Amino acid sequence: MPLSLPGSLVSTEWLAAHFDHPGLVILDGSFKLPGVTPIAADDFAARHIPQARFFDIDDIADHDTVLPHMLPSPGAFETYASDLGISNDSIVVVYDTPGLMSAGRVWWTLRTFGHDKVAILDGGLRKWMAEGRAVTGEATPAPKATFHATFHPDAVRSKAQVLDNLGSRAEQVIDARSAGRFTAEEKEARPGLRSGHIPGSLNLPFNALTDPQSGELLQVADLRTAFETAGLDFSKPVIASCGSGVIAAALAFGLHLTGKDDVAIYDGAWTEWGQPGDTPVETGAGKRDDRK
């Protein structure tokens, strides 16, 4: 019997009832910052949801740039997806360990390359394990599949486009980093970067969208309230940003759940913008810092 997703967010109960369905692909999209050990791939090797395959955000990326985990070319993504056993007919459920940190990046990547039959597991591996559900350290071989990508450039913004937006203000920029990093009270972990934020941008830390205990997403009304409290105008399009393009997708997913899809991600994010150069930076409550 064909399988269909109940929505863009699926419960642990739904996944437990369908995780061995032949039409379903489960992806563990967990990610950790550089230098944090054990790395996400090692965590996956130790325990993951049965039948899951590991979506390595750093590997499934453009390796011709020094910027981390930038989107690969459509052709390269076709190869990655096919090797993971994903076809254009696959139903995909993505999770990460905390609930909604990097799963949004995998969800956004698949959609950006034309695959809309993808959902995120509410609460991630944390909730799955808290409920006593099965995990395994055994790898499940991925059957070879064929994936054809249809790239949607409107889902991505470049540095040049974000610079142009400083003048036009046609799109709102919202930053998913912590308040301390946004205001420059905390230094960036990556060496050589300036601290602060893109001028005029809003701030909503990605973990404000989930319950701190369970990792589950807030109710839709509460998600909308969180964005509005941060200053977002739901009538205007959005660019989501963060440190390196990963947690920005959590904001894109949260907005998607509220029905707002005119949202793009600045893929280079602060790792690109914060480098010494000609990009203007604000610190604190709107203090501009144009130091090179």
Side-chain angles (χ1 to χ4, degrees):
M1 182 176 179
L3 181 67
S4 61
L5 290 167
S8 297
L9 188 68
V10 299
S11 67
T12 50
E13 291 81 8
W14 185 91
L15 184 59
H18 297 94
F19 77 86
D20 58 353
H21 192 285
L24 178 68
V25 175
I26 305 171
L27 298 178
D28 184 325
S30 298
F31 169 81
K32 291 183 178 180
L33 291 173
V36 177
T37 57
I39 62 174
D42 290 340
D43 288 341
F44 176 81
R47 61 180 183 276
H48 55 266
I49 294 174
Q51 311 298 327
R53 303 156 199 178
F54 186 60
F55 187 104
D56 190 330
I57 287 172
D58 284 323
D59 187 42
I60 304 174
D62 181 359
H63 299 295
D64 293 327
T65 175
V66 297
L67 295 172
H69 38 255
M70 297 284 284
L71 277 178
S73 68
F77 187 76
E78 286 182 343
T79 300
Y80 284 122
S82 298
D83 288 346
L84 278 172
I86 302 171
S87 76
N88 296 89
D89 294 326
S90 296
I91 299 295
V92 181
V93 172
V94 186
Y95 72 87
D96 62 33
T97 299
L100 185 66
M101 180 196 175
S102 52
R105 173 76 187 196
V106 183
W107 169 86
W108 171 77
T109 300
L110 283 161
R111 287 169 57 88
T112 298
F113 287 113
H115 195 75
D116 292 336
K117 289 178 284 192
V118 54
I120 289 178
L121 178 64
D122 199 10
L125 185 62
R126 184 201 328 189
K127 186 170 187 287
W128 180 271
M129 293 181 63
E131 294 169 343
R133 301 187 188 276
V135 292
T136 182
E138 296 182 8
T140 301
K144 182 71 175 180
T146 301
F147 183 85
H148 296 292
T150 302
F151 179 59
H152 295 294
D154 56 321
V156 192
R157 294 292 180 271
S158 65
K159 183 175 81 169
Q161 289 172 310
V162 178
L163 278 167
D164 287 345
N165 189 65
L166 291 179
S168 69
R169 301 290 183 182
E171 297 176 298
Q172 305 163 95
V173 179
I174 188 163
D175 193 319
R177 293 175 300 156
S178 68
R181 291 172 68 191
F182 182 82
T183 61
E185 293 174 9
E186 300 173 8
K187 290 189 177 296
E188 291 295 312
R190 288 182 169 85
L193 296 182
R194 294 172 290 168
S195 298
H197 57 267
I198 297 168
S201 56
L202 309 171
N203 180 222
L204 181 61
F206 78 99
N207 54 7
L209 303 185
T210 54
D211 182 283
Q213 301 302 318
S214 68
E216 293 174 283
L217 269 290
L218 303 181
Q219 295 297 311
V220 170
D222 294 327
L223 288 173
R224 186 179 179 99
T225 296
F227 282 106
E228 289 176 336
T229 301
L232 193 82
D233 182 347
F234 271 77
S235 70
K236 294 179 60 177
V238 174
I239 301 171
S241 185
C242 61
S244 62
V246 174
I247 59 174
L251 299 189
F253 182 70
L255 286 166
H256 169 76
L257 292 180
T258 71
K260 186 169 181 60
D261 283 318
D262 54 346
V263 182
I265 288 179
Y266 172 26
D267 202 20
W270 196 256
T271 302
E272 181 177 44
W273 192 275
Q275 293 178 10
D278 59 356
T279 47
V281 170
E282 280 183 352
T283 59
K287 181 182 177 183
R288 186 163 173 150
D289 181 357
D290 291 323
R291 290 175 294 179
K292 301 296 189 287

